[in-house]
Amino acid sequence: MSKTTEQGARTFQIGGELEINRLGYGGMQLTGHGVWGETPNRETAKKVLQLAVESGVNFIDTADSYGPHTNEKLIADALHPYPKGLLIATKGGFDRTGPNQWVINGNPKHIQLAIDGSLQRLKLERIDLWQLHRFDPEIPVEETLGPVVEAVQAGKIRHVGLSEVGIKEIERAEKVLPIVSVQNLYNLGNRKWEPVLEYTIQRGMAFIPWYPLASGPNKLASKIREIAEKHQATTSQIALAWLLKRSPNMLLIPGTSSLDHLKENLAADQIELSDEDFAALSA
């Protein structure tokens, strides 16, 4: 559920209880080339995370596979002890064999190690939102989620989400345990998961679009530029503003390794697209 104002919802309650600002931050870019190894400038990366939180971000998304492991450690180094109300979401379910190499691993033992490893690296007693990165076609998701159920029962995980899933996969997982969020590719130019977004709206789940800054195909370019000029904004800011207006359960996690770009992204929260603007971009 979300708190709404005349201008639209600014916050959302994950699992109906953890209230966060809808414009968050995604940590994936704070790694080396190919999401592999340490970020090139660790001190700047820490400043980006600190500025995000100082600016009101209280939802940060990461994963054990970013680095692997380096991103979670960086977040802890930059922000621990964490301010009250900061929700750090992480994910598990990939093996990393090299830069840009992502190997799905839904083996229950791997998942158990991923959860415990994330707790240790993030210096958390409980992960507020743990997400399964992908369904493993080789292993029934009921088996994959076994250690997740145990971690919830043990108090190691508070809420559970899924990533890059269709409606049938969500429904299958929901038979095992409650699902509060879905993180799928979605942006102004790529809306193939529209039915999943509608499903999450109906179910009161959070929808977390990854790659949110994409502004769409060339046929949209002139329209976006025109609207951006009207609002004295960048095309990326308009792309984020469109997502915020699209649905009150949309939680945005734009990532960047630049302090200036971070400020630009966060300023998108101040852009109020008119219904006409929204309709023109949505067409």
Side-chain angles (χ1 to χ4, degrees):
M1 68 185 72
S2 55
K3 287 195 171 181
T4 56
T5 65
E6 289 181 6
Q7 291 77 32
R10 290 293 185 226
T11 64
F12 182 85
Q13 290 183 347
I14 289 183
E17 60 168 348
L18 301 176
E19 186 164 342
I20 58 167
N21 296 323
R22 290 178 55 213
L23 191 48
Y25 177 83
M28 189 171 76
Q29 290 196 33
L30 299 183
T31 54
H33 175 70
V35 198
W36 184 259
E38 283 283 4
T39 181
N41 192 324
R42 207 167 191 279
E43 287 309 305
T44 298
K46 287 166 70 173
K47 288 176 183 174
V48 167
L49 287 162
Q50 290 159 358
L51 178 62
V53 173
E54 288 165 9
S55 301
V57 167
N58 57 5
F59 180 62
I60 294 176
D61 181 79
T62 183
D64 72 334
S65 56
Y66 297 168
H69 304 163
T70 62
N71 199 244
E72 290 180 325
K73 291 176 182 175
L74 173 69
I75 288 168
D77 286 351
L79 300 174
H80 191 272
Y82 301 116
K84 187 178 180 181
L86 176 63
L87 192 161
I88 298 172
T90 192
K91 299 180 284 294
F94 272 134
D95 278 328
R96 297 300 309 281
T97 54
N100 292 315
Q101 301 297 310
W102 306 83
V103 181
I104 297 173
N105 187 346
N107 183 289
K109 186 63 178 176
H110 172 81
I111 297 298
Q112 180 189 340
L113 291 172
I115 293 167
D116 289 340
S118 290
L119 283 165
Q120 184 178 16
R121 287 183 293 271
L122 288 167
K123 298 180 180 178
L124 289 170
E125 292 183 1
R126 178 172 62 179
I127 297 166
D128 282 328
L129 177 61
W130 186 91
Q131 304 153 95
L132 179 63
H133 232 143
R134 295 289 188 277
F135 276 40
D136 189 334
E138 305 298 323
I139 298 174
V141 74
E142 293 79 6
E143 292 180 24
T144 295
L145 290 174
V148 184
V149 172
E150 292 173 3
V152 170
Q153 292 171 344
K156 294 180 178 181
I157 291 174
R158 192 168 188 169
H159 293 296
V160 177
L162 305 172
S163 179
E164 212 60 8
V165 287
I167 293 171
K168 288 183 178 178
E169 290 170 311
I170 301 170
E171 290 176 337
R172 185 173 173 182
E174 284 183 293
K175 291 176 181 176
V176 180
L177 79 177
I179 300 298
V180 303
S181 68
V182 173
Q183 184 169 156
N184 280 14
L185 173 64
Y186 186 89
N187 53 53
L188 194 49
N190 188 334
R191 307 177 208 170
K192 76 167 187 172
W193 290 117
E194 197 81 32
V196 173
L197 170 58
E198 291 297 333
Y199 181 84
T200 63
I201 293 170
Q202 295 165 11
R203 298 300 308 277
M205 298 173 179
F207 187 89
I208 309 168
W210 60 269
Y211 200 31
L213 289 171
S215 53
N218 289 335
K219 64 181 179 180
L220 266 177
S222 60
K223 209 177 286 184
I224 296 171
R225 278 198 302 271
E226 180 186 329
I227 292 171
E229 287 171 9
K230 184 171 78 173
H231 288 276
Q232 297 182 309
T234 66
T235 54
S236 292
Q237 287 175 322
I238 295 301
L240 293 174
W242 180 83
L243 286 168
L244 287 170
K245 191 173 176 70
R246 171 63 184 85
S247 173
N249 72 326
M250 193 87 73
L251 309 183
L252 306 192
I253 50 169
T256 178
S257 58
S258 159
L259 289 162
D260 288 340
H261 192 209
L262 172 68
K263 294 173 189 174
E264 179 186 301
N265 288 343
L266 295 180
D269 190 42
Q270 303 305 312
I271 298 169
E272 295 290 350
L273 294 178
S274 67
D275 291 341
E276 291 77 16
D277 292 336
F278 182 78
L281 293 169
S282 302

